[in-house]
Amino acid sequence: MTVLIAGGGIGGLTLALSLHQIGVPAKVFESVAELKPLGVGINVLPHAVRELIELGLMDKLNASGVRTRELAYFSKHGKPIWSEPRGLEAGYKWPQFSIHRGTLQQLLLDTAVERLGRENILTSHHLTGWTETANGVRADFIDRATGKAAAGSYDGAILIAADGIHSAAREKLYPNEGPPIWNGRILWRGVTPAKAFLTGRTMIMAGHEILKFVCYPISKEPDAAGNHLINWVAERHMPPTYQWRREDYNRAARLEEFLPWFESWQFDWLDVPGLIRNCPHAYEYPLVDRDPVSQWTFGKVTLMGDAAHPMYPIGSNGASQAILDARVITREILAHGPTQAALLAYEAERRPATTDLVLLNRKNGPEQVMQLVEERAPDGFEVVTDVLSQQELEDIAANYKRVAGFQVEALNAKPPIVSKDARARA
Ligand SMILES: Cc1cc2nc3c(=O)[nH]c(=O)nc-3n(C[C@H](O)[C@H](O)[C@H](O)COP(=O)(O)OP(=O)(O)OC[C@H]3O[C@@H](n4cnc5c(N)ncnc54)[C@H](O)[C@@H]3O)c2cc1C
């Protein structure tokens, strides 16, 4: 019997493709009428890339993503703190990709339409609720844009809510939870055509908890003027009186709220204010997450991706963790069929793992090194080891990889979550 998936984001579409791979019928219900390539750049880490490769998506990823080669942290003065190789260069068997979120979502959508058929990827279907039936679950949808009540009710064996940080399913299960929690920081994000920097495939982070800049290239080839698309995120801790607006991935940024704070960040290897000023469209987004909850699975319904564990976009984990959820759900459906037992087994593995990550991201994840440097040497330093020992630097990086599940040797030695040839029993 069919698995119903609410939400056609990166998590929901990966789940649909994974279920198709093992021969289990699935239907995706997406709230919006047309999935547009929204958002800016994201990183997909090797453990998640590996699962996309098992889905046969390597060529498509290669064609549209940049293989991230290095991650490097700098102080607000542009001085190096820590750098580490990434992807194949770090010894993983799989690359790390920097890619536009919209490109990744479109790639998954096109493949899902191709493999599952358009009739199984329904847009203008916004989940509003469900009831359990003798054989499974009946989910109800409306067309949100027209406000017309019923877009239909559909029967399935189980319902997986992959409907993002404003999940309607989570709201039904936790009616008193309220909106996401804002931590006082605002992100401004954009993509600017500019010259390549450092290795040409480096992701950099500069600054500290109060003021930070992140950027990396998301286009493989330069344009006619020799420019690459450089994805950037500027982040500022706002005063307590700041009136923040509900997160919306499409809200236009106001340069005067952040550009002046970065005017002096002209390093000999990167012109930060130039990148901000030359960006055609920048967007604003408050840094929000939610407290981890104690249960995801209720009867034949469960949560996944940002609906289950919305986290700060620190350590490049939002999309990667949603992909891992999709693969673990699929593995458990292989073992138990599309049943509550499968959902409970998925939750038993993924809820503790992602809870740790949500909490670690609140402590700045691997970016702690930048904050420690700022606290210990706000006026600058000659060499970073005068401020932070090599051991401290190595421990912070290693601990994050362990919690997020992408230690090189451990990951290389593990079998994939779902292998290429796995098929569910008929
Ligand atoms: C428009 C947009 C832009 C983003 N941009 C970035 C970015 O630039 N950088 C970054 O790091 N992360 C970004 N994210 C978040 C990132 O994609 C997620 O953290 C991650 O991919 C987890 O994916 P998900 O599938 O759980 O949730 P999402 O990617 O948020 O997908 C959820 C999907 O569910 C749909 N939906 C919502 N409510 C319902 C409902 N009731 N019924 C049916 N469908 C519903 C939404 O329209 C959406 O397509 C963005 C998310 C969105 C929606």
Side-chain angles (χ1 to χ4, degrees):
M1 207 171 157
T2 307
V3 173
L4 308 179
I5 303 168
I10 289 162
L13 291 169
T14 304
L15 179 60
L17 288 169
S18 299
L19 293 174
H20 175 266
Q21 177 193 13
I22 63 163
V24 168
K27 250 183 171 28
V28 177
F29 301 88
E30 165 55 47
S31 175
V32 302
E34 191 192 346
L35 281 170
K36 298 200 180 107
L38 297 178
V40 288
I42 55 175
N43 259 259
V44 189
L45 300 174
H47 53 345
V49 169
R50 168 193 206 169
E51 298 299 325
L52 296 180
I53 293 173
E54 295 292 324
L55 285 169
L57 298 173
M58 182 57 155
D59 290 348
K60 291 184 180 177
L61 282 171
N62 255 337
S64 33
V66 172
R67 289 170 174 235
T68 318
R69 169 195 175 127
E70 181 189 41
L71 170 64
Y73 298 108
F74 294 84
S75 71
K76 66 184 177 208
H77 302 112
K79 297 271 273 183
I81 295 176
W82 169 258
S83 71
E84 60 184 35
R86 283 291 169 131
L88 298 179
E89 281 78 5
Y92 292 106
K93 292 185 189 161
W94 312 276
Q96 171 171 336
F97 280 105
S98 296
I99 188 168
H100 193 288
R101 176 194 175 273
T103 307
L104 176 59
Q105 188 183 20
Q106 192 65 45
L107 173 168
L108 294 169
L109 175 66
D110 292 345
T111 315
V113 168
E114 219 172 272
R115 295 185 187 172
L116 280 79
R118 186 159 292 281
E119 66 283 8
N120 288 315
I121 315 289
L122 300 169
T123 51
S124 301
H125 279 67
H126 181 87
L127 177 77
T128 53
W130 63 88
T131 41
E132 292 226 2
T133 60
N135 298 326
V137 63
R138 175 166 302 151
D140 307 316
F141 301 90
I142 58 162
D143 178 345
R144 218 177 176 198
T146 61
K148 292 224 175 76
S153 294
Y154 293 80
D155 288 317
I158 49 177
L159 167 65
I160 319 258
D163 51 348
I165 191 166
H166 296 292
S167 167
R170 181 165 169 142
E171 197 180 336
K172 287 240 164 281
L173 298 170
Y174 292 95
N176 300 322
E177 187 182 28
I181 306 163
W182 182 48
N183 79 347
R185 295 189 238 169
I186 298 284
L187 310 177
W188 293 272
R189 309 172 319 156
V191 177
T192 306
K195 294 285 177 273
F197 55 90
L198 299 178
T199 66
R201 289 190 281 130
T202 298
M203 174 180 196
I204 70 102
M205 304 195 183
H208 48 85
E209 203 173 278
I210 307 294
L211 201 59
K212 189 173 90 187
F213 193 81
V214 178
C215 72
Y216 50 87
I218 54 169
S219 67
K220 271 164 83 103
E221 303 298 336
D223 63 15
N227 288 327
H228 288 262
L229 294 176
I230 308 294
N231 179 80
W232 57 263
V233 185
E235 186 183 311
R236 219 190 116 203
H237 207 295
M238 306 305 276
T241 49
Y242 183 80
Q243 294 290 312
W244 69 285
R245 296 159 287 249
R246 181 188 134 131
E247 59 284 4
D248 169 354
Y249 284 107
N250 256 338
R251 176 170 293 120
R254 296 185 285 213
L255 289 202
E256 68 276 15
E257 286 190 331
F258 66 107
L259 178 55
W261 282 263
F262 292 95
E263 280 295 3
S264 63
W265 291 35
Q266 281 186 348
F267 312 139
D268 51 6
W269 52 274
L270 188 74
D271 175 8
V272 171
L275 274 177
I276 297 174
R277 210 173 277 114
N278 296 331
C279 177
H281 306 284
Y283 303 95
E284 169 200 305
Y285 194 83
L287 194 58
V288 288
D289 69 358
R290 290 181 182 276
D291 285 331
V293 286
S294 57
Q295 193 179 348
W296 292 350
T297 305
F298 294 79
K300 291 170 186 144
V301 180
T302 201
L303 305 172
M304 72 169 286
D306 279 6
H309 46 70
M311 58 181 73
Y312 298 154
I314 283 174
S316 313
N317 257 294
S320 298
Q321 295 298 322
I323 292 167
L324 297 187
D325 287 351
R327 300 299 278 172
V328 173
I329 293 172
T330 305
R331 185 192 67 204
E332 296 306 330
I333 288 179
L334 261 175
H336 304 281
T339 58
Q340 187 190 18
L343 301 184
L344 289 171
Y346 144 73
E347 177 178 339
E349 175 171 332
R350 295 295 297 154
R351 197 167 49 73
T354 53
T355 295
D356 287 353
L357 207 48
V358 169
L359 299 178
L360 195 54
N361 278 358
R362 285 185 179 173
K363 293 190 206 148
N364 296 319
E367 296 164 29
Q368 280 171 61
V369 288
M370 292 153 67
Q371 183 57 20
L372 287 173
V373 162
E374 173 65 13
E375 285 166 13
R376 294 180 191 178
D379 299 325
F381 52 85
E382 271 311 307
V383 279
V384 69
T385 43
D386 292 345
V387 183
L388 213 61
S389 73
Q390 186 64 24
Q391 194 60 49
E392 278 178 291
L393 290 162
E394 283 171 16
D395 287 351
I396 291 170
N399 185 45
Y400 193 75
K401 290 200 188 72
R402 186 183 54 72
V403 175
F406 64 108
Q407 290 161 297
V408 180
E409 293 78 21
L411 184 63
N412 283 348
K414 266 205 311 211
I417 299 171
V418 183
S419 71
K420 268 191 191 70
D421 314 316
R423 300 286 298 173
R425 284 188 295 275

